[in-house]
Amino acid sequence: MSGWSNGTYNESYTSFLLIGFPGIQEARALLVLPFLSLYLVILFTNALVIHTVASQRSLHQPMYLLIALLLAINICAATTVLPAMLFSFSTSFNRISLPRCLGQMFCIYFLIVFDCNILLVMALDRYVAICYPLRYPEIVTGQLLAGLVVVAVTRSTCIVAPVVVLASRVRFCRSDVIHHFACEHMALMKLSCGDISLNKTVGLTVRIFNRVLDMLLLGASYSRIIHAAFRISSGGARSKALNTCGSHLLVIFTVYSSTMSSSIVYRVARTASQDVHNLLSAFYLLLPCLVNPIIYGARTKEIRQHLVTLFQRTQQQVSTEKPQSLPLE
């Protein structure tokens, strides 16, 4: 499709070529094994913890259900990007239509924001559990939990939708090559041939406002939670409360530090190669998916105990299925 004509544009590209790592384009097949291994590890670890929560009736409590939902979001986020990336690495077909590109963009950013919103819901759950323990069962009900999840979905949609809608109205005439492994917003905007100042302003404003508001809410919640935890007279209950909050804070630090570091490097290190920027994008998207199940599986006592029991049961089944050698007479 033609792009520029006598200094002006007359048409807009409707499909694009995704080139994830331009500097090593000739050796892109070598990237299949590490990214495939990473994807399989993400699927296995997250699915294992989700299965543990779903199969154990004692874990059918708000905190563990929210953990399972958070890990399900991790699987969806990795699946939104990695299968298409692996397919493009292993074949020469890596073209994507504009509607699919915008759909992938919406899914990526929606899942990132939804992940942060679930962290807010988890902070609220812990706040009620620790600050108002006697009223916790009557306050945090299944109906309230479902309502909060609906609010999180609605808020995520309202945050991401304006960015994607504005991107859909842009004309793309400079090139049909996206130097990224996915339809990232700024990578797509680089191909525009018109004024995108509104897109940049809305995207940056939404990101800053969302991050600052989330950090303020999380900071206020966990400061009250930690203050209340230190006032618990029972040493065992205090230790359990602080350990649970520590797991949540580790996950929050992983999610927000990876996102903020990628944004800072993208705007500061402009001399870095496109491969470096793309690697950082993959880092901030996939690191929480990899780390979150490890944090919750290792640090949450109830989940860890059930995981140990599951592994022991599996080992026993494997040992009993081995053929027994007959004694020599």
Side-chain angles (χ1 to χ4, degrees):
M1 179 178 292
S2 60
W4 290 92
S5 176
N6 297 326
T8 61
Y9 59 87
N10 52 15
E11 291 187 66
S12 177
Y13 288 107
T14 57
S15 65
F16 303 94
L17 196 65
L18 287 172
I19 300 180
F21 297 92
I24 54 174
Q25 187 63 15
E26 298 298 328
R28 65 181 184 275
L30 299 177
L31 298 174
V32 173
L33 183 59
F35 277 103
L36 177 60
S37 302
L38 178 63
Y39 183 49
L40 294 177
V41 170
I42 289 173
L43 289 180
F44 175 75
T45 53
N46 285 276
L48 182 62
V49 178
I50 292 173
H51 169 74
T52 302
V53 173
S55 61
Q56 301 298 325
R57 186 174 294 274
S58 61
L59 298 181
H60 292 180
Q61 301 176 27
M63 184 183 77
Y64 305 113
L65 295 177
L66 289 172
I67 290 175
L69 177 58
L70 190 72
L71 301 186
I73 296 171
N74 291 342
I75 293 178
C76 293
T79 304
T80 303
V81 173
L82 282 175
M85 184 198 301
L86 293 170
F87 184 73
S88 66
F89 286 161
S90 57
T91 65
S92 58
F93 183 80
N94 51 356
R95 185 164 287 276
I96 186 171
S97 65
L98 180 58
R100 280 186 57 207
C101 184
L102 294 173
Q104 187 188 52
M105 181 191 301
F106 177 84
C107 291
I108 291 173
Y109 290 120
F110 172 82
L111 291 169
I112 291 174
V113 178
F114 189 36
D115 186 271
C116 297
N117 287 334
I118 294 301
L119 291 176
L120 287 173
V121 176
M122 295 172 77
L124 177 62
D125 171 74
R126 289 299 87 198
Y127 172 77
V128 177
I130 294 176
C131 297
Y132 305 98
L134 298 180
R135 298 183 57 196
Y136 176 77
E138 64 182 75
I139 295 177
V140 183
T141 61
Q143 185 177 1
L144 175 65
L145 204 63
L148 290 174
V149 172
V150 171
V151 171
V153 171
T154 305
R155 181 173 183 256
S156 303
T157 304
C158 293
I159 290 173
V160 176
V163 178
V164 179
V165 170
L166 287 175
S168 66
R169 297 180 178 180
V170 175
R171 299 180 66 86
F172 305 101
C173 318
R174 294 185 183 276
S175 173
D176 66 339
V177 177
I178 300 177
H179 293 287
H180 208 280
F181 57 82
C183 285
E184 197 265 343
H185 180 254
M186 289 311 300
L188 183 63
M189 290 301 103
K190 288 180 180 179
L191 309 182
S192 65
C193 47
D195 183 17
I196 58 170
S197 56
L198 179 61
N199 298 69
K200 291 182 177 180
T201 303
V202 171
L204 186 61
T205 302
V206 167
R207 174 171 288 190
I208 292 176
F209 177 77
N210 184 48
R211 288 290 178 266
V212 171
L213 180 61
D214 286 359
M215 294 299 290
L216 289 175
L217 292 174
L218 289 169
S221 298
Y222 279 102
S223 61
R224 293 287 301 274
I225 290 171
I226 294 173
H227 181 262
F230 278 110
R231 295 174 60 185
I232 299 175
S233 58
S234 173
R238 185 192 312 118
S239 176
K240 180 180 179 181
L242 291 175
N243 182 70
T244 302
C245 292
S247 300
H248 293 328
L249 289 173
L250 276 175
V251 171
I252 291 170
F253 176 78
T254 302
V255 171
Y256 282 91
S257 63
S258 58
T259 304
M260 293 176 65
S261 63
S262 176
S263 301
I264 292 172
V265 172
Y266 182 84
R267 287 169 172 80
V268 174
R270 296 188 178 275
T271 57
S273 66
Q274 186 63 44
D275 291 343
V276 173
H277 287 297
N278 292 352
L279 189 62
L280 286 172
S281 296
F283 169 78
Y284 95 77
L285 181 64
L286 300 176
L287 180 65
C289 304
L290 182 65
V291 173
N292 289 354
I294 298 175
I295 293 175
Y296 285 123
R299 289 183 55 87
T300 307
K301 181 181 178 182
E302 292 78 7
I303 296 178
R304 183 177 67 247
Q305 289 176 342
H306 287 294
L307 286 174
V308 171
T309 303
L310 178 63
F311 282 126
Q312 290 176 347
R313 189 181 305 155
T314 304
Q315 288 179 349
Q316 290 176 356
Q317 290 178 353
V318 171
S319 61
T320 55
E321 289 177 359
K322 289 181 178 179
Q324 299 293 331
S325 57
L326 296 176
L328 296 176
E329 295 182 358

